[in-house]
Amino acid sequence: MGIINRFLMFVYTLAIALLAIGVIAICAGFVPPVILENEIKFIISRWETIAGAVVVFIWSVHLLGCSISSSSSSAKSESEAIVLHGANGDVRVAVPAVSSLIEKAAMSVSGVEEAKAKIKATRANGANGTSETSDVAISLKVALGVDRNVAVVSDEIRSAVAHGINDVLGLEKFTLEIDVPQIAKIEEAKRPRVK
């Protein structure tokens, strides 16, 4: 839940708490019935009461949606991990960590100016009732310099990514799709890269 929604939740909870205190005061007899009846007639006759009720209703629906979506997003973030099988049990590696590993492996190849990886990990039950596994699909967008052959660099990227994934994650099965949306200009390619 974002900071704005947290603030709205704080104000909403505070208003409900004050309303509960008001109900307690009315039920305990701290407010005389004549004054209470007069105030209720006044509040009911105002258009601002209807507008306030509509705002509170919309506010309530919004906060309800936030509470439902935050639980589903936490479930989504739980599912966004790659399951690896170790000798002593399963390990879940976060998708952003794998993306970072792949981007670093791609950037280690000469001629790669930029790299951005997107990972899609889908869970499947293992064969013969074994524990679940992850099918990993990698989409890698790279910007290349003009001084290198695209096919050669692509093969080197595949090799570097496969080497990184095998060495670090121990993952052998994955698909890698390389997309080259741009090739750096000559001036950009001549500039030294900062690491």
Side-chain angles (χ1 to χ4, degrees):
M1 188 178 287
I3 191 155
I4 293 173
N5 288 332
R6 287 178 190 271
F7 176 74
L8 291 175
M9 182 68 85
F10 171 76
V11 172
Y12 188 80
T13 306
L14 189 62
I16 295 295
L18 291 175
L19 180 65
I21 290 172
V23 170
I24 291 169
I26 290 169
C27 292
F30 294 128
V31 180
V34 177
I35 295 175
L36 182 62
E37 184 179 337
N38 186 33
E39 292 301 321
I40 289 175
K41 285 181 182 177
F42 176 75
I43 289 172
I44 290 174
S45 67
R46 305 293 296 179
W47 67 269
E48 292 92 347
T49 306
I50 295 173
V54 168
V55 168
V56 169
F57 176 76
I58 292 171
W59 199 349
S60 300
V61 169
H62 171 72
L63 292 175
L64 178 66
C66 288
S67 69
I68 292 171
S69 69
S70 66
S71 63
S72 66
S73 68
S74 64
K76 182 181 175 188
S77 66
E78 174 68 26
S79 68
E80 289 183 351
I82 296 174
V83 179
L84 303 173
H85 302 291
N88 295 323
D90 292 345
V91 178
R92 298 183 194 285
V93 181
V95 168
V98 178
S99 293
S100 176
L101 171 72
I102 292 166
E103 289 167 3
K104 288 177 184 175
M107 290 295 292
S108 70
V109 174
S110 176
V112 177
E113 300 294 321
E114 290 179 32
K116 183 69 179 162
K118 286 188 179 178
I119 311 295
K120 184 175 182 185
T122 54
R123 301 251 181 101
N125 289 331
N128 300 326
T130 59
S131 58
E132 63 182 356
T133 59
S134 293
D135 294 328
V136 180
I138 304 165
S139 175
L140 184 64
K141 288 188 178 183
V142 294
L144 302 179
V146 295
D147 57 341
R148 297 289 314 271
N149 181 292
V150 174
V152 171
V153 173
S154 174
D155 290 340
E156 290 177 9
I157 291 171
R158 288 183 192 281
S159 176
V161 168
H163 183 45
I165 288 181
N166 288 338
D167 287 353
V168 177
L169 300 177
L171 190 67
E172 295 179 4
K173 288 186 178 180
F174 64 91
T175 59
L176 174 60
E177 178 184 314
I178 299 175
D179 183 23
V180 182
Q182 71 178 27
I183 295 178
K185 296 177 185 173
I186 295 173
E187 299 83 22
E188 293 177 357
K190 287 181 179 176
R191 276 189 270 163
R193 286 179 29 189
V194 179
K195 289 188 179 182

